[in-house]
Amino acid sequence: MAFDIFLSPPHMGGKELEYVQEAFRSNWIAPYGPSINQFEEAMADYIGVADALAVTSGTAAIHLIFRWLNIQEGDLVFCSDLTFIGSCDPVFYERAVPVFIDSEPDSWNMSPVALEKAFRWAKAEGRMPKAVIVVDLYGESADWDSLLPICRKYGVPVIEDAAEAVGSLYKGKRCGSFGDFAVQSYNGNKIMTTSGGGMVLSHDTVAIEKMRFWSTQAREPAIHYEHKEYGYNYRMSNICAAIGRGQLEFLEEKIRIRKKIHKAYVEGLKGLPAYIKEHAQKNYSNCWLNLLYIVDENIAPNDIVVKLQNAGIEARPAWKPMHMQPVFNQPRFFTHDEDHVVDEDVFAHAVCLPSGDGMTELQQQMVITELKNCF
């Protein structure tokens, strides 16, 4: 379907083309080149970590971390339940076993209560997870002051999936700096894009260097092609990295615009039997996507999505929880409350609205008008 207003389309700041042309002039196209090194260094400095590795996707980044953590067939991995499946696909790659953790009701991120339940179960089973993947959802930071101590108590590494939260803060510290390892995504609809790509972030420079080796087919430093280990074709191209350099320089302005869009939605939709999800005060969200929570039980998210689509406006339901996905075949799942599943409630009531920083005020007013007509 063709849309006049998209959910979160790419938006260039100006320097991207200059850096891409620089890559063409130097003939550094892929997979090596100066822009990759500069992009990695700039992102590591921006987030406040020791090292970074640019790869083809956020999912590839998680897969490399799994390799470093030696996650194998049958190993448990605790995962945020309310997320895009790319966070969990590497569990399939290594034939590990996912255990899904419900969200807490304020931020819709992983519930510390549910996480503690899962760890108690794992301890009783005598089978600790090899990792916990915590997502910073829709640009909103997880509650790291509650989650990290639980994981540290049980001695399990944390992978922070900050794919949706590039530029977001938690108590003044950037998302992507909380886990033992973190990942970012630069897919076309993210707040900053490289057309496709991702990043591994960590203070563990030894681990990052090994992942860098694996990401380029594990080629040994020899004149001929020598391989003592298997690897992957996961390295980001110099062209994509050139785009990323320009996007990173424009990121703070993109966040400023998206916060303005968020505020306009909050004000413009007052009085409806629905509301725009606000952000926890301790967090600084990048406002990647704005979610409308529908209070009126007679109106379903799909009703809103279809009516907006008919008006040429792209919208989507919130993520369908992983424990509800048929591909996982009734996985182990731990809830925040015994009689209420937060993630199922979000999926049943929330809609993602157009939030791109290239959206004009007139376009946003069109979205608001169409939403009011839905009610």
Side-chain angles (χ1 to χ4, degrees), residues 47 136 139-149 160 167-178 279-285:
I47 298 298
D136 297 314
E140 176 91 13
S141 169
D143 186 0
W144 290 106
D145 280 356
S146 298
L147 294 168
L148 281 177
E160 180 185 1
S168 298
L169 301 172
Y170 176 77
K171 296 186 176 180
K173 189 177 178 182
R174 295 205 182 278
C175 290
S177 64
F178 292 98
H279 309 292
Q281 290 187 2
K282 60 178 175 290
N283 298 347
Y284 176 98
S285 172

Side-chain angles (χ1 to χ4, degrees), residues 338-359:
E338 295 303 324
D339 55 354
H340 174 72
V341 180
V342 174
D343 292 347
E344 292 179 8
D345 179 77
V346 173
F347 178 58
H349 292 89
V351 177
C352 301
L353 301 180
S355 304
D357 41 275
M359 183 169 58

Side-chain angles (χ1 to χ4, degrees), residues 82-374:
L82 190 63
T83 184
F84 175 60
I85 197 170
S87 299
C88 310
D89 273 337
V91 177
F92 283 117
Y93 303 164
E94 300 303 331
R95 298 182 180 179
V97 179
V99 175
F100 294 114
I101 314 297
D102 197 11
S103 300
E104 52 92 18
D106 290 337
S107 72
W108 299 350
N109 277 304
M110 183 181 283
S111 161
V113 173
L115 179 61
E116 183 66 51
K117 290 180 186 177
F119 268 118
R120 289 174 183 168
W121 165 82
K123 186 176 181 180
E125 293 285 313
R127 191 182 174 201
M128 279 289 132
K130 286 291 239 358
V132 178
I133 304 175
V134 181
V135 175
D136 297 314
L137 189 73
Y138 293 124
E140 176 91 13
S141 169
D143 186 0
W144 290 106
D145 280 356
S146 298
L147 294 168
L148 281 177
I150 298 172
C151 297
R152 300 292 181 242
K153 178 173 68 174
Y154 292 98
V156 177
V158 176
I159 301 171
E160 180 185 1
D161 183 347
E164 302 171 7
V166 182
S168 298
L169 301 172
Y170 176 77
K171 296 186 176 180
K173 189 177 178 182
R174 295 205 182 278
C175 290
S177 64
F178 292 98
D180 297 284
F181 300 96
V183 302
Q184 295 177 336
S185 171
Y186 312 126
N187 190 23
N189 69 357
K190 294 298 190 295
I191 191 165
M192 62 170 282
T193 184
T194 61
S195 78
M199 192 82 79
V200 185
L201 301 155
S202 181
H203 286 293
D204 191 336
T205 57
V206 174
I208 292 289
E209 194 55 38
K210 188 65 175 182
M211 292 180 210
R212 184 172 284 112
F213 171 70
W214 287 329
S215 74
T216 52
Q217 302 287 22
R219 182 184 175 186
E220 298 289 337
I223 294 176
H224 59 280
Y225 284 87
E226 180 80 7
H227 303 276
K228 298 178 181 178
E229 304 178 58
Y230 67 89
Y232 314 95
N233 187 20
Y234 280 172
R235 197 76 165 105
M236 180 182 284
S237 80
N238 197 56
I239 296 297
C240 290
I243 298 171
R245 287 173 58 199
Q247 286 276 281
L248 181 55
E249 292 179 9
F250 185 47
L251 179 58
E252 291 302 316
E253 175 63 12
K254 293 166 77 68
I255 294 172
R256 185 194 68 77
I257 296 170
R258 292 201 184 220
K259 290 181 79 66
K260 183 179 178 182
I261 290 169
H262 172 77
K263 184 177 180 181
Y265 273 135
V266 171
E267 294 297 320
L269 296 173
K270 282 182 177 178
L272 295 181
Y275 59 88
I276 295 294
K277 181 186 178 300
E278 287 284 18
H279 309 292
Q281 290 187 2
K282 60 178 175 290
N283 298 347
Y284 176 98
S285 172
N286 65 8
C287 295
W288 173 51
L289 289 182
N290 290 279
L291 278 89
L292 181 75
Y293 185 91
I294 304 164
V295 178
D296 189 338
E297 295 292 343
N298 296 313
I299 300 177
N302 286 356
D303 298 332
I304 301 291
V305 170
V306 170
K307 288 183 179 180
L308 290 179
Q309 285 180 346
N310 290 339
I313 299 167
E314 185 182 21
R316 293 180 187 170
W319 298 127
K320 183 176 182 178
M322 291 297 101
H323 80 273
M324 297 173 67
Q325 297 288 355
V327 70
F328 289 109
N329 191 24
Q330 297 183 323
R332 178 76 61 174
F333 173 56
F334 289 90
T335 62
H336 178 79
D337 290 322
E338 295 303 324
D339 55 354
H340 174 72
V341 180
V342 174
D343 292 347
E344 292 179 8
D345 179 77
V346 173
F347 178 58
H349 292 89
V351 177
C352 301
L353 301 180
S355 304
D357 41 275
M359 183 169 58
T360 66
E361 291 183 10
L362 177 60
Q363 287 175 323
Q364 187 177 15
Q365 189 55 54
M366 289 171 59
V367 176
I368 291 171
T369 299
E370 290 297 332
L371 282 169
K372 287 180 176 179
N373 290 339
C374 291

